[in-house]
Amino acid sequence: QVQLVESGGGLVQSGGSLRLSCAASGSISSFNAMGWYRQAPGKRREMVAAIIKIGSTAYGDAVKGRFTISRDNAKNTVYLQMNNLKPEDTAVYYCNADPAWEPILPLGRGGYWGQGTQVTVSS
């Protein structure tokens, strides 16, 4: 069983930055896709950013140009650098790791999930 542990969330003012980390219990090189997703109260979960095995990345429209996803295979950790944060970025952020993802499938539908970390952006 793979465990994902998120950290780095917190309270930040609008315009500030945070870096989230997702540490996996196993080798992240075995996952075809990893990503960050968020869910705000009363809203559906949405993709924030994803990185696939070959290194390509994808971002949700709301965060393009502000957030950057990266990974460190040696540390089995995926990061989400969040800059210029806005109050609408407030949500619980979840890490996902999917060993079976294929390009014909939507991201974030399978694999393993972390417990989430709260990000709150004040105006």
Side-chain angles (χ1 to χ4, degrees):
Q1 182 71 18
V2 173
Q3 291 187 331
L4 303 172
V5 179
E6 301 102 332
S7 61
L11 173 64
V12 64
Q13 289 188 332
S14 182
S17 298
L18 285 174
R19 188 176 81 156
L20 305 184
S21 300
C22 172
S25 59
S27 173
I28 65 171
S29 60
S30 66
F31 300 125
N32 288 351
M34 295 191 72
W36 289 94
Y37 298 77
R38 68 186 183 187
Q39 188 167 20
K43 295 187 177 181
R44 299 180 65 179
R45 186 175 63 195
E46 63 176 350
M47 187 194 80
V48 176
I51 185 166
I52 65 174
K53 202 168 186 176
I54 61 173
S56 298
T57 57
Y59 295 91
D61 289 341
V63 306
K64 283 180 181 177
R66 300 188 296 123
F67 291 10
T68 303
I69 188 171
S70 62
R71 67 185 182 200
D72 186 333
N73 288 348
K75 295 183 178 180
N76 293 320
T77 300
V78 173
Y79 303 97
L80 183 69
Q81 178 66 44
M82 305 186 294
N83 297 329
N84 190 22
L85 282 159
K86 304 175 181 181
E88 51 264 43
D89 294 318
T90 296
V92 178
Y93 284 69
Y94 298 92
C95 179
N96 171 262
D98 193 348
W101 178 81
E102 298 177 7
I104 62 171
L105 300 174
L107 289 162
R109 294 292 181 90
Y112 306 94
W113 293 89
Q115 81 288 350
T117 185
Q118 177 71 46
V119 171
T120 303
V121 184
S122 63
S123 56

